[in-house]
Amino acid sequence: MKSPFQGSTFALPVLCIGAYLIFASVWMPGLVPRLYDDARYVELGMLVLVLIQLLRPPVADALAAAWQRQSSMTKCLLVVLVFGGLASTAMSRAPKLGLLEVSLAVQLMFLFGIVACAVRDARILTEALLIVSLFSGAALCVLKFWAVYGSYALEGKLFSWVSPFLEFANVRFFSQVQAYTLFPVVIPLLVPETQKRWRPLVLFIAANFWALQCMVGTRAVWAGLIVALVTVPVFLRKKRFSWLRWHITAVALGVVIYAIFTYLNSFYPDSALDPTSNTVVRPDHRSIDERVALAHAAIDTIREHPLLGIGPGQFGLQAYDANPAHPHSVPLQLLSEYGLLAGTAGLLLVAFIVVFALRNLRSRSMTTPDPVGATLVAALLMGLTDSLFSGNLIMPQSQVLFVVIAGWIVGRGLPSQPSVNIKKASYRVTRTSLVCIGILATGVTIIFALEYLFLVREIPLRLLRWNPHFWQYGHFYIW
């Protein structure tokens, strides 16, 4: 039987991305003691498998053609971001951390281009795989939660929110990954291809996924929900109320499931079964105070190092009165670590994607309903709103989800692949340069990741200040 992707230039990369989206939230290979580092190695492994495809001429040709069609402003901002990051790295305290951060950013840029080109060239098949992958990942997460919780209840054991379920550390998974996935999980309900007998199951999984968000209750995600629900209907011209109905239904059912969950927990005398009783997941004034302190630290860093910043990935190497190794805000992180010039370039690139997404949604929905596009834009807005208060783009899964969703949105709006003169000297230089840059960035992360792997196994698990940035030990740089 022939694969539906047979003959597609991006079949292998898309399948690798799909596998990552399914298993990244529930599978940790156990390479290193800390789960955060494990998640990082899974991300890096996926990027290696995807970017190695640059050695295939059709993939390199497609990316080179896409690069040539970019506006001069976009190219300039990308160059400023990368070379500004490298300049900051050269002057920084920990060049290895800086190179890792910049190399990962370059790899994610290539991932963005691959997703966009894959959606452009084989939209129906690529979208189907991405939709199924995101939904399957959420379903596995829901299954894991209820299986673990149910087994503890049957055995009469106290269910700990720290271990085994939220050991990955509260917002590092649920709030920051769900911010990009809560909306897309509902997509199967919005497309006519989903058979009616599967719709109750889809709604059940989506509602349970929202129930998990209610249990964790991160405020930035709720703020993102409001931003998305207010903004998207303005740009969605057709069937906006139908779109709203399905998403609001999933949220409302999630609240009902959470209410039932809370009622059943009231029969247990020990409050450890209640997630809101645990300081790991309970939002309180201390988290606000900490974020204010981090913002002050980031602003002070910008004042002291305005041109080049403190160095990519190195916010946690400073002395400040807070535990996290990042400022919990993507704009502050970019400006303080990369400097004003490169940091502003990165922020403008994100802004361009948002503007493109909103304009494309408005134009596409003028003639036909576009519930998938509207949902992707909602996911993008929700995730980026959360990133303003959580800094979710330092987290492995959140990085990939942001890039995949952004590339997906852009790919839907790209024109068909142009014909190019592969014998033209400028085109050959562009293609060769892109391949070399992508492979070089991959090689840098492989070398330093292996070096860190051997070192981190010797670091005591109880080492103080192990709050993460690129690696779990975000305050640790001598390696």
Side-chain angles (χ1 to χ4, degrees), residues 121-426:
D121 294 349
R123 177 181 161 187
I124 295 176
L125 293 175
T126 303
E127 282 198 341
L129 187 140
L130 293 176
I131 291 170
V132 170
S133 299
L134 286 169
F135 176 80
S136 299
L140 282 176
C141 180
V142 168
L143 178 62
K144 175 186 175 183
F145 171 78
W146 288 115
V148 173
Y149 183 82
S151 66
Y152 272 56
L154 290 175
E155 296 174 14
K157 296 178 358 184
L158 293 178
F159 180 81
S160 170
W161 284 87
V162 179
S163 176
F165 191 62
L166 290 187
E167 193 173 25
F168 189 46
N170 172 29
V171 294
R172 294 178 204 160
F173 172 67
F174 281 102
S175 300
Q176 300 185 6
V177 171
Q178 282 187 303
Y180 293 99
T181 54
L182 282 164
F183 274 104
V185 170
V186 183
I187 289 180
L189 294 172
L190 305 174
V191 294
E193 290 81 7
T194 304
Q195 298 181 7
K196 289 185 177 180
R197 67 173 179 270
W198 295 110
R199 291 180 180 273
L201 175 62
V202 173
L203 186 58
F204 177 77
I205 296 298
N208 274 271
F209 210 46
W210 274 106
L212 292 179
Q213 162 57 21
C214 294
M215 294 174 191
V216 177
T218 306
R219 292 162 291 193
V221 174
W222 293 119
L225 173 65
I226 294 172
V227 170
L229 292 181
V230 170
T231 305
V232 170
V234 174
F235 292 87
L236 183 62
R237 296 301 187 182
K238 290 182 177 293
K239 293 193 174 181
R240 62 184 66 169
F241 294 109
S242 174
W243 180 85
L244 280 169
R245 182 178 69 248
W246 280 114
H247 287 289
I248 291 176
T249 298
V251 176
L253 289 177
V255 173
V256 171
I257 293 172
Y258 171 65
I260 296 172
F261 174 85
T262 304
Y263 173 74
L264 294 176
N265 276 344
S266 66
F267 291 99
Y268 290 91
D270 197 311
S271 61
L273 289 171
D274 183 359
T276 60
S277 70
N278 195 305
T279 56
V280 174
V281 295
R282 182 182 62 208
D284 56 21
H285 69 278
R286 286 176 296 177
S287 66
I288 297 177
D289 294 340
E290 187 173 60
R291 280 162 171 75
V292 171
L294 291 168
H296 284 306
I299 293 171
D300 290 341
T301 299
I302 296 170
R303 289 172 179 168
E304 295 170 4
H305 307 274
L307 183 60
L308 296 178
I310 196 68
Q314 299 175 51
F315 183 84
L317 304 188
Q318 306 172 93
Y320 51 88
D321 188 22
N323 287 323
H326 60 100
H328 273 264
S329 172
V330 168
L332 289 178
Q333 179 193 337
L334 285 172
L335 295 173
S336 62
E337 292 187 348
Y338 282 74
L340 291 177
L341 186 62
T344 301
L347 294 177
L348 286 176
L349 287 169
V350 174
F352 284 178
I353 292 173
V354 173
V355 171
F356 177 90
L358 294 174
R359 287 181 174 176
N360 187 58
L361 176 62
R362 181 176 60 185
S363 62
R364 290 178 64 89
S365 61
M366 283 286 203
T367 55
T368 58
D370 189 16
V372 175
T375 303
L376 294 176
V377 174
L380 183 69
L381 293 175
M382 188 173 180
L384 290 178
T385 301
D386 177 74
S387 76
L388 298 177
F389 307 100
S390 70
N392 62 39
L393 291 184
I394 76 160
M395 304 300 173
Q397 291 102 324
S398 298
Q399 290 175 341
V400 174
L401 284 165
F402 165 73
V403 168
V404 168
I405 290 172
W408 190 349
I409 291 172
V410 171
R412 300 175 98 246
L414 288 178
S416 59
Q417 181 174 350
S419 58
V420 293
N421 184 3
I422 62 176
K423 295 182 180 180
K424 193 174 181 180
S426 61

